[in-house]
Amino acid sequence: MRTVTILGSTGSIGQQALDVLSRWWEPVRIAYLATNSNVELLAEQVNRLQPLGIVVVDERAYMEFRRRFPFAGRVLCGVEGLQEAASDPCNDVVLVSLVGAVGILPTLAAIRAEIPVALASKEALVSAGHIVMQEARARGVPVLPVDSEHSGVLQCLLGEDHASIEQLVLTASGGPFRTLPKERFRDITVADALRHPNWRMGNKITVDSATLMNKGLEVIEARWLFDIAPDQIRVLIHPQSIVHALVYFRDGSVKAQLALPDMRIPIAYALSYPQRSPLAVERLDLAAVGQLEFEPPDEERFPCFHLALEALHRGGTMPAVLNAANEVAVAAFLNGALRFVDIPRLVEEALQHFTVIAEPTLEQVLEVDRQTRQFVHRQVQQCAFQ
Amino acid sequence: MRTVTILGSTGSIGQQALDVLSRWWEPVRIAYLATNSNVELLAEQVNRLQPLGIVVVDERAYMEFRRRFPFAGRVLCGVEGLQEAASDPCNDVVLVSLVGAVGILPTLAAIRAEIPVALASKEALVSAGHIVMQEARARGVPVLPVDSEHSGVLQCLLGEDHASIEQLVLTASGGPFRTLPKERFRDITVADALRHPNWRMGNKITVDSATLMNKGLEVIEARWLFDIAPDQIRVLIHPQSIVHALVYFRDGSVKAQLALPDMRIPIAYALSYPQRSPLAVERLDLAAVGQLEFEPPDEERFPCFHLALEALHRGGTMPAVLNAANEVAVAAFLNGALRFVDIPRLVEEALQHFTVIAEPTLEQVLEVDRQTRQFVHRQVQQCAFQ
């Protein structure tokens, strides 16, 4: 019997995880489900899955849930609730698929309780990777990436020595604007940016894929997750999204992980690691695909990618600034308050505004996150007034 | 200090192995070198490397070596000499890169002495795979493939459960005649067949690549090496020879091994397994390669491939018949005694002439090998008289 908690069960990853678990090869029990504020869907999941407890992060939504939905299990609230659910000793694995910096504390709570974490929230590694991975390594707790690229790296590294790694390569589809001429970027609409060629994902990450910020964040994640120097991580554009990652070894050999673009594969791998669960997803047919294409990334049209690498090289709190600035800017773009090309501009302003704190504590990371959001919100308002 | 014996040191694989070992990352000692009859090159290698001993398989060449080259170490002769060298307890690993069925007995001798075998000779697995692998598994002795495709599979399987394997895929370049129209196959010359697009190899295996027999033999090898049912092994044409093998897992995930076509990579992997030796070979640059192409194999123009699968399905002694018949037919083609299209014809005749012996002993395998060679030699002579 495998006991699983899903923090962020109403989001795209959370729903796909529940889909995967509904046909799991071994008995599964759901411990906790958590949402930020989508209580309608949470109530439906609770009815169907009968978890031990739930968490509603948003206080108003929490009150609404209590008022409208009778539920005999535990009902927790806020980030404290997430931490409590994550660290419940009944968990065999906790899937953290919350949007934004809210994922950091529950990830740490699970690790400190020595519970393996399946991690879909980028922020825990982008903003606080040095803290999260240090705690995880000290306790020997696996942090299992749910990103397809990092899952690919993890699979390629299975059974290999860390010392024999020469380079990690993360692939990127290039997003909907891979071939768009530079002069047309200023006219990109929200609908354009949400039209991802290969992946069905949440809106925020879909925009991040369109700016290539997502790939920059993934490089930062990989740096911590696999304890690899930044200059050993490369990105390759691969429009078909079939090869997700490659690992180069010191003997000139390369291993790659491939699959049709289906998030259920990395989700299932993280939930069953180190085993592989039988999964009824479509199989890759390379003869039918015919060819796999690769090209170098174009940093000129996708400045977000370069900004992320810059933040990684400056280190300390800079990735937290990058991430928080990007989150606010993307939300503003999605709300129609910013143009697509304003996203890198605002992120760059934030990176220039803040000074690095080297080796920051978690409190410093969270404080910088808060300050950056405030700063970028102000910049967004100024944009709106122009 | 790693002590290595190379049986077949004057062949293509043997010479590349010595090249790799000459720049090895750790101290290396050469125990034995062995040749069939190339005593000139062997003498040069002996001078350079000062092995403990040597083996000359051919008796006349052995006498010649003794007469012409003073050497203070042991000088052994024949298959008995190979077995003695292979089983010397000083060996850390024995590379068996002998051409033909002569590789079977020394492979078994090493395994019985519990010495890991780096295996480049296909025959040991094609003709006697059930015997070789049973002995190896019973003693827990690694049999490490030197073929790029099987080395790729081995690398992809590292750390994985056998139960989670769904399918193995071996790639094939398609050889020099991949796009040649069927009606022009009868005019293929020896020079045409030796013009392999990607690999520098010995003549016999280069012709086998041109007929696709090589890929059929590799399917048979993979069946035994990885203990996989024949219908779980597929072949995919991949003209660039960069992806060498893929493993499909039951969760829909696929792992692939890639490298520029350079036999030194699988040779080094087999000699350093489970570690990876630093190797100064050219690195794969996928952005420069641009695209990787895949297509299904065409069995109509390449009947040898189908014949090999048929021999595998009939089982027992049939793969030994296939292999021996092919060896004689290819040698006759290289000598100008046969046309290219006669190779599959003679192999098919042999497969029809002999009846299966199920679960054969080693003696039965060797006897069938001998009988098949006799039979096909007679057929070749009849061709020559026509």
Side-chain angles (χ1 to χ4, degrees), chain A residues 17-240:
Chain A
L18 288 176
D19 174 50
V20 161
L21 291 171
S22 70
R23 283 164 286 183
W24 202 242
W25 56 314
E26 288 180 335
V28 170
R29 182 176 61 159
I30 304 295
Y32 295 84
L33 297 175
T35 187
N36 179 46
S37 58
N38 189 347
V39 293
E40 295 282 349
L41 180 52
L42 184 70
E44 186 273 304
Q45 292 175 343
V46 164
N47 264 335
R48 187 155 43 90
L49 301 164
Q50 299 293 324
L52 302 182
I54 59 129
V55 189
V56 183
V57 182
D58 181 83
E59 201 168 337
R60 212 145 56 167
Y62 165 79
M63 302 300 278
E64 186 192 341
F65 184 91
R66 298 227 71 149
R67 199 175 61 241
R68 290 179 48 199
F69 304 105
F71 172 52
R74 302 184 67 192
V75 183
L76 305 169
C77 181
V79 177
E80 298 71 24
L82 292 172
Q83 289 174 270
E84 202 174 327
S87 58
D88 191 310
C90 77
N91 289 317
D92 288 314
V93 58
V94 175
L95 171 60
V96 182
S97 53
L98 298 152
V99 176
V102 71
I104 300 176
L105 287 170
T107 298
L108 277 169
I111 289 169
R112 287 171 182 158
E114 307 202 345
I115 298 163
V117 178
L119 191 57
S121 298
K122 293 194 151 52
E123 292 71 16
L125 290 177
V126 171
S127 303
H130 62 298
I131 299 166
V132 168
M133 292 311 297
Q134 196 173 23
E135 297 249 12
R137 292 215 171 85
R139 291 177 173 79
V141 177
V143 176
L144 304 159
V146 170
D147 257 340
S148 59
E149 294 79 1
H150 301 87
S151 178
V153 171
L154 181 68
Q155 292 177 50
C156 290
L157 288 179
L158 213 65
E160 302 282 355
D161 268 356
H162 191 271
S164 68
I165 305 171
E166 200 165 81
Q167 205 175 97
L168 307 182
V169 177
L170 310 177
T171 65
S173 70
F177 311 129
R178 181 173 63 90
T179 59
L180 192 74
K182 188 175 162 60
E183 61 275 14
R184 291 185 48 200
F185 270 61
R186 26 179 321 197
D187 304 324
I188 289 170
T189 66
V190 170
D192 293 337
L194 292 180
R195 214 172 283 127
H196 195 280
N198 304 335
W199 292 100
R200 171 172 72 89
M201 301 180 293
N203 285 352
K204 195 267 179 179
I205 190 173
T206 302
V207 174
D208 284 346
S209 295
T211 62
L212 281 206
M213 177 60 90
N214 185 50
K215 211 49 52 174
L217 297 175
E218 286 179 6
V219 170
I220 303 175
E221 283 184 273
R223 186 261 172 275
W224 297 114
L225 204 44
F226 303 111
D227 193 19
I228 287 290
D231 63 4
Q232 286 181 288
I233 309 169
R234 296 254 184 289
V235 166
L236 202 54
I237 303 294
H238 167 51
Q240 290 94 353

Side-chain angles (χ1 to χ4, degrees), chain A residues 25 155 158-160 166 248 250-251 253-258 276-277 279 283-284 290-292 294, chain B residues 25 155 158-160 166 248 250-251 253-258 276-277 279 283-284 290-294:
Chain A
W25 56 314
Q155 292 177 50
L158 213 65
E160 302 282 355
E166 200 165 81
Y248 280 63
R250 65 181 182 186
D251 60 355
S253 181
V254 179
K255 272 158 74 175
Q257 189 266 339
L258 300 81
R276 290 184 183 271
S277 57
L279 216 58
R283 263 45 180 172
L284 174 63
Q291 51 186 241
L292 302 173
F294 302 91
Chain B
W25 56 314
Q155 293 177 50
L158 213 64
E160 302 282 355
E166 200 165 82
Y248 280 62
R250 65 181 182 185
D251 59 357
S253 181
V254 179
K255 271 157 74 175
Q257 188 267 341
L258 300 80
R276 289 183 183 272
S277 57
L279 215 59
R283 264 44 180 173
L284 173 64
Q291 51 187 241
L292 302 173
E293 287 151 25
F294 302 92

Side-chain angles (χ1 to χ4, degrees), chain B residues 7-29:
Chain B
L7 305 182
S9 63
T10 57
S12 168
I13 294 289
Q15 290 184 62
Q16 291 181 76
L18 288 176
D19 174 49
V20 161
L21 290 171
S22 72
R23 284 165 285 182
W24 202 242
W25 56 314
E26 288 179 334
V28 171
R29 181 177 61 161

Side-chain angles (χ1 to χ4, degrees), chain B residues 148-177:
Chain B
S148 59
E149 295 80 0
H150 300 88
S151 178
V153 171
L154 181 67
Q155 293 177 50
C156 290
L157 288 179
L158 213 64
E160 302 282 355
D161 268 357
H162 191 270
S164 69
I165 304 170
E166 200 165 82
Q167 206 175 97
L168 307 182
V169 177
L170 311 177
T171 64
S173 69
F177 312 129

Side-chain angles (χ1 to χ4, degrees), chain B residues 122 147 149-150 170-171 214-222:
Chain B
K122 292 195 152 53
D147 256 341
E149 295 80 0
H150 300 88
L170 311 177
T171 64
N214 185 48
K215 212 46 55 174
L217 297 175
E218 286 180 4
V219 170
I220 302 175
E221 282 184 276

